[in-house]
Amino acid sequence: MKKTSEIVIIGGGVIGTSIAYYLTKRGKEVVLIEKNDLASGASGACDQDIILQSKNPGIHLQLAMKSAEIYKTLEAELEHPIEYENTGGMILIETQEELEIMKDFVKRQQQIGLEVEILDLKQARKLQPGLSHHLVGSTYSPQDAHVNSIELTLGFAKAARKQGAGIMLHTEVVGIKQRNGRIQGVKTSRGDIDCEIVINCAGAWAPKIAEMIGLTIPIKPRRGQIIVTEEVAPYVMGDVLSARYIVAKYNPDILKNSSDPGIKLGVGLSLSQTQKGNILIGATREFVGYNTDVTRTGLKEILKNATRLVPGLKGMNIIRMFAGLRPYTPDGLPIIGPVEGIEGFFVAAGHEGDGIALSPVTGKIVSDLIVDGKTFMDVSRLALERFTKNNPKA
Amino acid sequence: MKKTQVAIIGAGPAGLAAAIEVARAGGEVTLLDENHKPGGQLFKQIHKFFGSREHRAGTRGFRIGEKLLEDTEKLGVKVLLDSPVYSIFKDFVIGYISDGREKAIQAERIILATGASENALAFPGCTLPGVMGAGAAQTMINVHRVLPGKKIIMVGSGNVGLIVSYQLLQAGADVIALIEAAAEIGGYGVHASKIRRAGVPIYTSYTIQEVIGKNSVEGAVIVGLDEKWKPIKGTEKLIEADTVCIAVGLSPLAELAWLAGCEFAFVPSLGGHVPKHDRNMETTIKGLYAAGDLTGIEEASSAMEEGRLAGIACAESLGLYSKEEARDLKEKVWARLNTLRTGPFGKKRRDAKDKLIEMMEGGADIG
Amino acid sequence: MRVKHHPILGEDKRKENVTIVVDGKKIKAIEGEPIAAALMAAGIRVFRKTPKKNQPRGVFCAIGRCTDCVMTVNGIPNVRTCVTLVEDGMVIETQKGLGKWRESR
């Protein structure tokens, strides 16, 4: 194994591999260290959505739109089939109350330049014939897309390797060496590596890495359970979310006080069909520590929710179910950038359910920051320091 | 949620035998099976079983099945049929499907007896209709009374290949070739001689190179193998046939054991990945037992004995038997199991099983 | 072909007492037998065509594991015919690819 490297990336998920790809593209020397295998965390246990219209208008949506632009040519660039497809997507609206919230959400997204509109039920059913008749309507954006998150991670890793990145699998980081506020290297289960820069891309495990240098990162693992059906003929068009998902995502406190088991689990629809024909039905959003079990309640509540919105799913056979740990942050935004006070320590984690959508842009930003010291947009709002009390930006 | 003292998953020989033992000890049992009828693969076994008198040697498999069903009924075992179990959740909550609906039952103890499935073999044309598992053909002829074809090639000469070949003849088909890649017949001599007497051409050191046919099997090209198992050019033979049966072993159906979180060992001589278990058939999860082909591919007789062991041990853990009572009962079962596991075939399995059990006591992994 | 006489199992006394419709053709079957057995008795071997290469598939495992024998039954695709019993009047179709899924009910 290598004893020195300019940069060490911790985490072989979609964020770590993307950064490894963009850094090596800029000629940097990189070693990526992964405790298990590539995409063995949330990147391999998620849905396939690259959905723009679920993002809060503002920096979040800006990031997603930049990422979407990169995605258009990414498959060719990586020379790896990532099953990218620009499918469009919709958010299902069940009540007048939700409609009002979504109208406002859509208007603000339009102002940032997203192509998105509100459809009535008739228009929505024309695009998505399986929808229940009780719906009020939906939003629709032609800009949403799909990607196979595992292939994407493998694609980034393969391309990074080709550009000279070292990738060490089944290797655990056990310590980080620093002297006088400067990164010196990492200690791993397979020996030490001296380096100048460490990038913490450990997703839900990022706080554990940060702890090694006495740093607190407010990321919490949030479990998402997802169900997989048998392969069926094309049935679901694009990405389908429910407005309730948006509520679950941005208002976890509202959910906490409910007695409905589905709401308590943070169940919100996320539906899409893979190229092979399997339909992915999600998802829960639960705080249960690092537990990745699937649960019977999760299964039942996800299905109850999904079949209410798309009744035709009822007869399909379920072949699998899995759970991944999304790295949740209190404000719903990822943490990206250098950490003040420890020279050479970067964080790129906390994307929660947006890691797949935001992986290209995250890779680009981090590589820009390291190589040029700046990037194409102001990302100071994404710094870890926004959570520190004395920071005026917080 | 429904509750039961002991849930047994799989109503084949191991599951039925386990159910009988638990019920005989006074335990309350729910037996779940995905099929319309209990019995697992016993009812397609119309040949006489081997073993000693205690194993009801000389009795045909399906008769043993009938007796097991009679006993389970007499002892009041509750049998849920058409009920595929899809997972085992925390606290032994068993999720299953019945009447198209999702249901659950919670158990104090679980015995897994999920059996095995047939291995496939890859060669050009292996997906054509008419290429099927030997066990599948056996089910068709002996249970459903339908012939899968008229001119049949059997691939593999282990006991399954030999027995099913003979039963295909009994059902009125023509077995035109028995192919074996090894230099010698794999199964028992007594089965092999029946096949020979019936005049079935046996090709040892041969393998199937290709199956040909447009919409279904029309024939197969077989090819001779040298001592390094490499095809010998010029030895190809085209045999006309409408069915190719594959008898190249079985693999444990271990999905539920994986889902329940059991620790596994990879033991090729037992069929692949099997859950680790001790002499009580208890897995690495306390209160979860496993028996039969799931814990290593053998035959129905040993599956029943393992089921009995699991049943007795389970009853003991519930206080239905004293330690001494259970020990005496288990010793008898072990004695019978050890007789079954003799001879060149049995010895290998016995050794593998011994190692598997040793591993529970912290031994080394078997490669 | 049915095995009417058998040296060990004896005479099969069951009657073909139900009718199923396979790709528009009426076929006699025995109540309680799986669809796959009824089709095999009628000499039907191709149960479906694969999605990508349109290759034929039939029965492989006969115990509901391999899903090679799936067909569209009463309008529902991917039904395992080796473990689904025939019913009088059942409509069975050779499944083309992944079949057609019904729209919202």
Side-chain angles (χ1 to χ4, degrees), chain B residues 21-352:
Chain B
E21 286 304 329
V22 176
R24 192 176 280 155
E28 182 253 330
V29 186
T30 305
L31 182 54
L32 296 106
D33 195 282
E34 63 180 331
N35 296 293
H36 312 292
K37 289 176 189 161
Q41 308 309 313
L42 265 180
F43 284 92
K44 66 187 188 192
Q45 308 201 5
I46 60 169
H47 55 282
K48 291 178 181 162
F49 277 23
F50 287 149
S52 56
R53 206 156 52 88
E54 290 97 332
H55 300 117
R56 315 193 42 184
T59 311
R60 298 188 191 277
F62 69 106
R63 297 277 178 229
I64 295 174
E66 281 164 2
K67 177 73 172 66
L68 288 175
L69 292 189
E70 202 186 298
D71 287 353
T72 40
E73 201 174 318
K74 237 188 273 168
L75 289 162
V77 171
K78 196 172 163 201
V79 187
L80 301 179
L81 296 172
D82 288 309
S83 301
V85 171
Y86 69 86
S87 195
I88 296 170
F89 295 104
K90 226 176 93 189
D91 303 323
F92 285 3
V93 171
I94 297 166
Y96 66 99
I97 312 289
S98 167
D99 288 331
R101 300 197 74 85
E102 192 273 347
K103 290 177 184 164
I105 185 166
Q106 189 171 28
E108 290 169 43
R109 302 285 186 277
I110 296 177
I111 301 175
L112 292 177
T114 45
S117 66
E118 290 189 272
N119 295 336
L121 194 63
F123 48 78
C126 67
T127 56
L128 271 178
V131 178
M132 66 175 71
Q138 193 185 23
T139 302
M140 284 299 167
I141 51 174
N142 296 343
V143 179
H144 304 311
R145 306 286 297 261
V146 176
L147 268 178
K150 288 183 190 123
K151 294 173 89 173
I152 296 167
I153 297 173
M154 179 66 65
V155 182
S157 72
N159 282 332
V160 172
L162 297 174
I163 290 170
V164 175
S165 291
Y166 191 67
Q167 293 176 357
L168 281 161
L169 296 173
Q170 286 179 319
D174 203 359
V175 180
I176 52 172
L178 175 71
I179 315 289
E180 170 57 55
E184 277 162 43
I185 294 274
Y188 292 140
V190 47
H191 293 313
S193 54
K194 272 183 162 181
I195 299 297
R196 279 204 190 90
R197 278 202 301 273
V200 173
I202 298 173
Y203 296 86
T204 49
S205 293
Y206 263 88
T207 190
I208 200 141
Q209 180 171 293
E210 178 185 9
V211 165
I212 50 175
K214 193 167 174 286
N215 275 315
S216 65
V217 175
E218 291 167 22
V221 179
I222 63 167
V223 62
L225 296 173
D226 65 18
E227 59 280 7
K228 283 176 185 155
W229 298 60
K230 291 245 162 61
I232 306 166
K233 264 213 163 126
T235 59
E236 295 89 352
K237 278 190 183 55
L238 172 66
I239 302 180
E240 244 181 76
D242 57 22
T243 303
V244 175
C245 288
I246 309 293
V248 294
L250 296 114
S251 297
L253 280 172
E255 293 92 337
L256 286 175
W258 284 110
L259 284 167
C262 293
E263 275 177 39
F264 274 72
F266 183 70
V267 191
S269 56
L270 293 176
H273 282 99
V274 288
K276 294 182 190 173
H277 63 78
D278 62 10
R279 286 180 70 82
N280 285 328
M281 306 309 294
E282 194 170 11
T283 66
T284 50
I285 293 171
K286 206 171 157 35
L288 183 78
Y289 300 76
D293 275 355
L294 161 65
T295 68
I297 307 298
E298 297 188 76
E299 67 268 302
S301 304
S302 16
M304 286 184 274
E305 297 298 4
E306 284 196 340
R308 287 186 188 112
L309 264 184
I312 295 162
C314 182
E316 179 189 5
S317 80
L318 288 163
L320 300 168
Y321 281 134
S322 72
K323 215 175 158 190
E324 291 71 32
E325 283 170 323
R327 191 193 53 215
D328 290 350
L329 289 167
K330 285 188 286 189
E331 267 173 16
K332 279 183 198 146
V333 182
W334 268 110
R336 292 198 299 266
L337 255 179
N338 287 339
T339 358
L340 280 173
R341 290 171 181 158
T342 49
F345 302 106
K347 173 84 171 49
K348 216 167 134 190
R349 290 199 308 260
R350 184 174 172 174
D351 291 348

Side-chain angles (χ1 to χ4, degrees), chain A residues 72-209:
Chain A
K72 293 213 156 77
T73 52
L74 193 60
E75 185 158 298
E77 205 180 315
L78 297 179
E79 295 176 339
H80 185 85
I82 58 172
E83 295 176 24
Y84 173 82
E85 229 181 329
N86 185 186
T87 52
M90 58 209 309
I91 297 176
L92 308 182
I93 301 166
E94 278 188 276
T95 62
Q96 281 302 324
E97 199 185 342
E98 283 177 4
L99 179 65
E100 293 314 313
I101 297 169
M102 290 315 290
K103 270 185 183 165
D104 174 61
F105 203 67
V106 161
K107 203 163 94 192
R108 289 189 289 131
Q109 288 177 324
Q110 285 167 337
Q111 281 160 2
I112 289 188
L114 184 71
E115 283 176 62
V116 57
E117 59 185 315
I118 300 261
L119 305 179
D120 64 22
L121 180 61
K122 208 175 148 193
Q123 293 167 314
R125 276 181 55 90
K126 212 168 164 186
L127 286 175
Q128 199 83 260
L131 295 182
S132 166
H133 291 277
H134 83 276
L135 295 173
V136 174
S138 80
T139 67
Y140 173 72
S141 168
Q143 283 178 275
D144 295 331
H146 280 171
V147 73
N148 180 327
S149 62
I150 297 172
E151 290 299 345
L152 175 65
T153 309
L154 298 180
F156 274 135
K158 195 171 89 181
R161 238 186 223 130
K162 225 187 267 172
Q163 291 168 167
I167 295 181
M168 295 171 62
L169 303 178
H170 305 289
T171 309
E172 194 170 351
V173 172
V174 292
I176 295 170
K177 295 191 280 187
Q178 57 165 330
R179 189 183 294 156
N180 304 327
R182 254 187 120 91
I183 290 294
Q184 302 274 305
V186 293
K187 294 177 184 219
T188 82
S189 55
R190 290 169 59 194
D192 295 3
I193 303 173
D194 292 336
C195 63
E196 288 157 30
I197 293 173
V198 166
I199 313 170
N200 180 357
C201 306
W205 292 267
K208 298 195 169 182
I209 296 294

Side-chain angles (χ1 to χ4, degrees), chain A residues 247-383:
Chain A
V247 175
K249 190 169 173 185
Y250 297 110
N251 306 289
D253 288 338
I254 296 176
L255 306 177
K256 230 185 271 169
N257 302 324
S258 171
S259 62
D260 181 305
I263 291 179
K264 257 172 134 171
L265 291 178
V267 170
L269 181 76
S270 101
L271 195 68
S272 66
Q273 191 163 9
T274 67
Q275 283 191 358
K276 276 194 83 181
N278 308 91
I279 297 175
L280 302 179
I281 311 173
T284 60
R285 287 170 177 273
E286 315 155 75
F287 293 111
V288 287
Y290 288 92
N291 182 321
T292 54
D293 288 349
V294 295
T295 64
R296 182 167 174 253
T297 324
L299 172 75
K300 290 179 75 161
E301 293 303 328
I302 292 170
L303 289 181
K304 202 162 88 188
N305 182 56
T307 53
R308 186 184 76 247
L309 298 162
V310 187
L313 295 171
K314 267 181 198 163
M316 291 178 191
N317 291 308
I318 293 159
I319 61 165
R320 203 171 296 132
M321 189 174 176
F322 58 80
L325 299 175
R326 324 274 168 248
Y328 158 93
T329 63
D331 62 2
L333 286 173
I335 302 167
I336 301 173
V339 175
E340 272 173 31
I342 310 165
E343 213 183 316
F345 193 72
F346 284 71
V347 179
H351 295 68
E352 197 176 348
D354 302 323
I356 305 306
L358 300 185
S359 61
V361 77
T362 304
K364 169 120 184 59
I365 290 171
V366 174
S367 63
D368 284 354
L369 291 178
I370 287 172
V371 179
D372 309 324
K374 60 176 172 37
T375 187
F376 62 93
M377 65 188 275
D378 176 18
V379 290
S380 58
R381 266 206 62 198
L382 302 176

